[in-house]
Amino acid sequence: DAGVTQSPTHLIKTRGQHVTLRCSPISGHKSVSWYQQVLGQGPQFIFQYYEKEERGRGNFPDRFSARQFPNYSSELNVNALLLGDSALYLCASSLAPGRMNTEAFFGQGTRLTVV
Amino acid sequence: EDKVVQSPLSLVVHEGDTVTLNCSYEVTNFRSLLWYKQEKKAPTFLFMLTSSGIEKKSGRLSSILDKKELFSILNITATQTGDSAVYLCAPVETSGSRLTFGEGTQLTVNP
């Protein structure tokens, strides 16, 4: 079985542009979460989606948005990019939130560089 | 606000040494705690801990949770160069909606 897949793996954008990152969860997993990891820090929670509905949102500005599709894949959109948005964006897949024995599995991430 | 503190932030050892990594947390509505190893990009899952005092083991790695004192430790015995990585801990809320990560411990194992 394929693990969590993210695309693209690397991306360079200019300040002010927008970007769309994509994630496909593990087959059978219905929950997708997005995290931002700045160099030298742990991942920071951005969003969680389950059954196409937002189930949680971290402390990020409205420039960040996401959605989940019927096949449980997800997109993260970031508008009006700032230099500080440069980071590794990680997608995590899990069966469902709120279940006791649910680990989250991460994709390889998208390395976004804003210049 | 949820808080996770890992210590030490950085550790350099020689192959064969034993290391203990610490994770203390303050999380409302705690459900479980996860440990991950991050070498290049994707954090890879190591352990999920839900009950106090029950040690989880996987080869040379083991971990235990203390829900009263709000901390967890990750032990690695007979370290190898392949253990070099950032180790992250993340408590999970009962809603399961988010993982709150610490800064991580950068472990370097020298030959």
Side-chain angles (χ1 to χ4, degrees):
Chain A
D1 278 341
V4 182
T5 57
Q6 291 187 243
S7 64
T9 55
H10 295 85
L11 201 54
I12 299 175
K13 289 285 189 178
T14 304
R15 277 178 297 176
Q17 286 187 313
H18 75 274
V19 67
T20 298
L21 311 181
R22 295 178 176 81
C23 171
S24 292
I26 293 170
S27 177
H29 284 194
K30 298 182 178 181
S31 179
V32 170
S33 299
W34 288 95
Y35 291 81
Q36 181 196 65
Q37 187 175 25
V38 175
L39 195 64
Q41 297 184 18
Q44 298 296 308
F45 173 76
I46 310 175
F47 287 111
Q48 186 192 51
Y49 276 78
Y50 174 64
E51 293 284 11
K52 296 171 285 181
E53 291 189 1
E54 183 183 299
R55 292 291 298 267
R57 172 185 285 255
N59 189 24
F60 280 80
D62 292 342
R63 299 184 296 108
F64 289 76
S65 63
R67 56 179 175 168
Q68 187 177 33
F69 299 100
N71 66 353
Y72 304 111
S73 67
S74 177
E75 285 182 351
L76 175 70
N77 295 284
V78 186
N79 294 324
L81 284 168
L82 303 174
L83 295 179
D85 295 330
S86 296
L88 179 67
Y89 288 84
L90 293 163
C91 171
S93 159
S94 59
L95 283 168
R99 288 176 57 170
M100 276 301 291
N101 297 315
T102 301
E103 308 96 336
F105 298 92
F106 285 85
Q108 290 294 315
T110 295
R111 173 72 65 189
L112 173 65
T113 302
V114 182
V115 297
Chain B
E1 186 174 317
D2 297 345
K3 186 177 178 182
V4 181
V5 177
Q6 291 189 244
S7 63
L9 292 179
S10 180
L11 189 57
V12 180
V13 300
H14 293 288
E15 270 192 316
D17 289 350
T18 294
V19 299
T20 297
L21 309 183
N22 303 291
C23 172
S24 65
Y25 61 90
E26 295 176 23
V27 174
T28 53
N29 303 317
F30 175 87
R31 183 182 85 184
S32 60
L33 187 137
L34 309 181
W35 281 96
Y36 288 88
K37 175 183 182 182
Q38 187 175 29
E39 293 177 85
K40 295 285 187 183
K41 285 191 173 181
T44 53
F45 173 79
L46 294 176
F47 295 110
M48 181 174 73
L49 305 163
T50 56
S51 301
S52 282
I54 299 175
E55 185 181 46
K56 292 264 183 116
K57 298 191 77 170
S58 176
R60 296 176 294 101
L61 277 66
S62 64
S63 184
I64 197 162
L65 175 68
D66 186 328
K67 290 165 73 172
K68 182 179 178 183
E69 300 296 330
L70 307 182
F71 77 89
S72 176
I73 60 172
L74 175 68
N75 285 312
I76 308 175
T77 60
T79 52
Q80 302 171 356
T81 55
D83 296 327
S84 296
V86 174
Y87 290 84
L88 297 161
C89 71
V92 185
E93 301 173 353
T94 51
S95 67
S97 67
R98 70 181 67 197
L99 302 178
T100 302
F101 284 92
E103 285 187 59
T105 293
Q106 173 72 62
L107 174 65
T108 302
V109 182
N110 291 323

